[in-house]
Amino acid sequence: MRSPCSSGSASLLMQFAIRTDPGERTIVAPVLLSGNEAIARGAWEAGVRFGSGYPGTPSTEILIALAKLPGVRCEWAPNEKVALEVAIGAGMAGHRSLVTMKHVGLNVAADPLMTLAYTGVSAGVVILVADDPGMHSSQNEQDSRNWGPFGKIPILEPSDSAEALAMVRDAFGLSERLDMPVLVRSTTRLSHGKTLVEVGERVESDTPGYRKSAAKWVMVPGNARGRRVDLEKRLAAARAESESFAYTVEEMRDASLGIVCSGVVYQYVREALPDASTLRIGMSFPLPEDRIREFAGKVGRLVAIEELDPYLRSSLAAMGLAVQVVPVPHIGELSPGRIADAFGIAAPDTRDPMDDLPARPPMLCPGCPHRGVFAALRTMGAVVQGDIGCYALAALPPLSAMDSCVDMGASIGMAHGMSVVNASTGVSGVPVVAVIGDSTFAHSGLTGLLNAVYNNTDTTVVILDNRTTAMTGHQDNPFTGRTLMGVPAPEIDIEAVVRALGVTSVQTVNPNLLKPTAKALGEAVAFPGVSVVIARAPCALLDKEPHDPFAVDEDECTACGECIRLGCPAISRDDTAKAVIDTALCVGCRQCVQVCRYGAIVRAGRACDIGSGL
Amino acid sequence: MSVTSVMLVGVGGQGTILASDVLAKVAATSGLDVKLAEVHGMSQRGGSVDTVVRFGEQVFSPTIDPGVADHLVSFELIEAARWLHWLRPGGRLVVNNNVIASLPMLTGSCVMPTGLEAALAYEGAVFLDAEELACEAGSPRSANIVLMGALSVGLPFPEQVWRDVITKRVPPKTVEGNLAAFELGMRACAHGVCEI
Ligand SMILES: Cc1ncc(C[n+]2csc(CCOP(=O)(O)OP(=O)(O)O)c2C)c(N)n1
C-alpha cells in the first residue's frame, strides 16, 4: 500500500483559480474544494492567525490545509483538550483561532469546553468538530449537536463546501459579537465531499489584545455564578442571531410536506423528496424557534429528517409542534434512498448483491513494524489491551492478537485494572500487556502509565513507536521532532519520559527483529511491577528506500503456514498450500524470513511486474 | 436536468481518490455542477473503497444508493462484483481484471470465487489490464489514469479537457507517463470492447 495517490495531504493541495477580466477586476472562478479545504479557507478569509487541533478522520486535512496558507500558525497538539486550551489562550491574547478535531476528540476537550461558554472569548474561537455517521473510521457515531444545549454553545451546520467556507468565515465575527465560542459541526460527507466554491479574499481581523478581567476569566465559584447568569443573556442574543442567520434557508415548494433538516442531510432530502418544502437550519443551537414555527404554520405535514440522534425532532416536539415521526433510520449514514424508503417511495430496480464474496477488511501494510510485536504477543498468550491506531488492525485474524480497543489511551488503564484483579484473584501466568502507539501515548497514555506506576501492578506497556501518527495519514507528533509547520522541534525521548514517570524496567527494541522483540517482551512480563517496551521502527509507508523483496523457494517450503499467520498482504498460499510472496507488494522487511523454520524464504530481485499498485 | 453518477471502487491505496479528483475536475472545467464523495481513513489500509463523482446541471446529494450509478469503474475484479448492484441496469461497467487477494483469502479462510469474470461479462463488463497498460505507458503507478482513459470513452468530455486536468493534477515528473496511460486506456476501450 505505497501508492503516492492514497489518502492524506498529497491530494488536498489547495488550488484556487484566479483570473483577471479585461477590466482588471479579479474574478475568482469556482473551484472544487473538499469541505475540509473550504473550512480552512473560510477560517483564513476571516483573518484567523492561529489553528490547533489533533488529527482525527474526517477532520485531519483542515489544519494541514490551513497551515499552507500565509499568515497563520498551525500546531498539532498532543490531544484535543490541549488544542482547545491553547486556542482559548490565543483568542484571549487577540488572535482569531480555529480548533479542529473529530467527534470523539470533543469528549477529550469537554472539560475546557463546558466552561468556555461561561468565560466567553476575546478574539473569536471556532471549534470545528467532524462527526462520522456510519463509523467509516471511528469507534462510535455520537452526534455532536448535543453539545449545543449541553455546553450552551452555538452550533453551525454547513450543507456543502461553499456553505462551509462562508459559515466558518462568519463564525468568528459571531463568536466575538456573542462573546461565546462557536462550534461548527461537519460530517464525513461534508469534510470529504467536494463541491464547487467561490473563494474570497482574506480580511485581517482587528481584535484587541489581552485585557485583564478576573470576573470574566477566573472561573472560581464566585465569578462563575456571575458568568452563568450572564450566559443566559448571551444565549438570548445567540437565539436572536439564529432567527436572522443568513444560512438558515426556507424554501417553499409543495406546502403539503415540510421538512426541517440541517447539514448534508438537506442534499439528501432535496434529492429524495424534490417537491417537499424545506427549512434548512444553519444554526442548530440555539434553534430559530420563530422561523421554525412560521414554517410549521405554512406546511401540512411537518417532519424533521436528520442523521444520528433525533435532535431536531425532539426540539420541535418540545416546542409543542406536531412533528410527525417518519421511520428514517437513526443508526448510520442517511442517503437519498434511505429517506425515500422511509417515505414509502419505491427504490429503482436493482440487481441483488452478489453473495459469497470474500470480505476485504483493512489490514496492516506489508512491512508494518507493528506486526512483529503482535506475532510475539500471540505466541505468549498475553491478554492484550489495545488502543487506537493502525495497530487496532491486529485484532483481525490471522493475528487476532488484541483483546480490546475502546478510546485513546485506554490500553494502559484497562491493563492496570485487569492486573489489579488478577493479582487479587490469584490469576497468574496470563500476562497482561497494554499496546499503544507513539501518538496515542502522547495523547493520553502518560497519565495512565503514571497511574500504573503509582498504584503498582504487574503491567507491561508496549509503545509502538513508528515515528508518526499513521492511521490518520502520517502527521507529526511530539515524539517525531517536527511540527505541523514543517520546522524541526525537540525530538522528545520516549524512554526518558517513561523513566521520569517512574518506570524502572524500560527496553527499546526493533520490532522487525522478531527474536529480540519476543525476548524483551518475555523479560518485561516477568518483571515485577510496571515495565515498558518501546518497539521502534518507522512506519513502512514512510520508508521510501527500496529494499529487495523476498520470494519463496518452493522446494524448501513445507506449507507449514507459519509465514501466513503473520497476515502480511504480500504472502498467500498457492494451489498446493505452499507460500508465495507477491514480489510487487513485498517491501523486504524480513519478518517472514525469521518465522520460516525451513529457510524457504530467500531474497529475490525486484520484479519487473508492478503488481496491484498497492 | 439529469445527473450522471460515476462510482470508482477498488482497494485502499490503489489511487481511486486521485482518479476521482481528476474526473470531478474534468466535469467542473466543462462548466457542470459537480459533487464528489470519498472515504479517507481506515479503509485506505487495503480495505474495500468507493468514491462517487456526480455531475450535471445541479447536483444535490454527494452520495448515491444501490442501483443508481450510471458508470461503475472497478480497479479490481472482486470489488467489481461487490459493488455491481450499485450500477443501474444498463449502466456502463469498466473492470480492471487484476485480482488483489484480501486478508481472508491470503490466510486461506476464503477462496477466490470462480466465475466472476463470466458473471461480470454477462452484465456487459468491459475488461482491461490497467497495470499492464500502465507499464506499457512507462508509468507503472498510473493504472488509475489508464482506467480514467477507459471511462472517458463513455463520457461526453473532450479528450483535451482530460489531458489538461491530468497535466495539472499529477506530479510534474509523471505527466508524460500519465498522459500515455490515459491514451492507452482510452484506446483499449475505443470500440466499447477492451482487448486484453
Ligand atoms: C480522541 C480521539 N482523537 C483522535 C482519534 C483519531 N485517531 C485514531 S488513530 C489515531 C492515531 C494513532 O496514532 P499512533 O498511536 O501513533 O498509531 P499508528 O496509527 O501510527 O500506528 C488517531 C489520531 C481518535 N480515535 N480519538
Side-chain angles (χ1 to χ4, degrees), chain A residues 64-81:
Chain A
I64 295 172
L66 186 59
K68 290 189 182 123
L69 296 170
V72 194
R73 174 187 167 116
C74 289
E75 298 182 353
W76 289 129
N79 68 33
E80 295 85 353
K81 176 179 185 289

Side-chain angles (χ1 to χ4, degrees), chain A residues 266-551:
Chain A
Y266 165 79
Q267 313 292 354
Y268 305 148
V269 169
R270 289 290 291 117
E271 188 140 341
L273 308 165
D275 298 330
S277 296
T278 50
L279 179 62
R280 180 170 86 240
I281 305 281
M283 194 184 298
S284 42
F285 184 83
L287 284 170
E289 295 191 9
D290 294 346
R291 293 186 67 182
I292 294 172
R293 276 184 212 287
E294 193 190 316
F295 179 70
K298 289 192 220 165
V299 298
R301 284 172 82 195
L302 179 69
V303 178
I305 299 185
E306 52 201 323
E307 236 162 20
L308 304 183
D309 293 347
Y311 170 86
L312 292 171
R313 200 220 306 159
S314 316
S315 306
L316 266 54
M319 285 166 61
L321 296 173
V323 55
Q324 292 196 5
V325 179
V326 172
V328 175
H330 283 292
I331 297 176
E333 264 188 329
L334 291 186
S335 68
R338 288 184 97 187
I339 293 170
D341 187 48
F343 281 82
I345 300 166
D349 268 352
T350 46
R351 300 173 174 87
D352 290 329
M354 258 192 217
D355 305 323
D356 299 329
L357 291 173
R360 192 183 299 279
M363 53 186 167
L364 293 176
C365 302
C368 176
H370 297 337
R371 187 174 278 114
V373 169
F374 289 101
L377 290 172
R378 180 184 52 194
T379 310
M380 288 163 67
V383 173
V384 178
Q385 300 286 23
D387 225 300
I388 304 209
C390 285
Y391 43 93
L393 297 172
L396 300 175
L399 284 168
S400 310
M402 193 180 275
D403 292 86
S404 71
C405 172
V406 179
D407 68 280
M408 292 191 76
S411 60
I412 306 181
M414 288 171 66
H416 170 70
M418 193 173 244
S419 298
V420 168
V421 174
N422 285 358
S424 74
T425 54
V427 173
S428 61
V430 182
V432 180
V433 177
V435 178
I436 185 167
D438 52 338
S439 187
T440 304
F441 183 64
H443 181 281
S444 44
L446 299 166
T447 44
L449 186 59
L450 189 63
N451 173 67
V453 172
Y454 173 49
N455 288 303
N456 190 26
T457 46
D458 292 345
T459 298
T460 296
V461 177
V462 182
I463 300 172
L464 300 172
D465 181 14
N466 62 352
R467 317 303 300 149
T468 188
T469 313
M471 179 86 272
T472 43
H474 301 104
Q475 291 75 37
D476 281 294
N477 69 53
F479 297 125
T480 65
R482 230 168 67 115
T483 71
L484 172 54
M485 302 302 285
V487 297
E491 192 174 324
I492 296 158
D493 178 359
I494 298 183
E495 184 162 334
V497 170
V498 166
R499 287 194 191 276
L501 290 175
V503 182
T504 55
S505 166
V506 185
Q507 303 174 76
T508 299
V509 294
N510 175 353
N512 288 318
L513 303 179
L514 302 186
K515 275 208 185 107
T517 300
K519 183 165 169 279
L521 288 170
E523 282 168 21
V525 300
F527 180 81
V530 176
S531 54
V532 168
V533 175
I534 301 163
R536 177 172 298 145
C539 169
L541 298 178
L542 293 183
D543 187 1
K544 302 277 185 249
E545 289 269 300
H547 301 285
D548 277 347
F550 285 83

Side-chain angles (χ1 to χ4, degrees), chain A residues 144-155 183 235 284-286 311:
Chain A
S144 293
R145 293 177 301 171
N146 294 302
W147 291 107
F150 189 37
K152 304 186 172 30
I153 294 170
I155 297 198
L183 204 84
L235 280 169
S284 42
F285 184 83
Y311 170 86

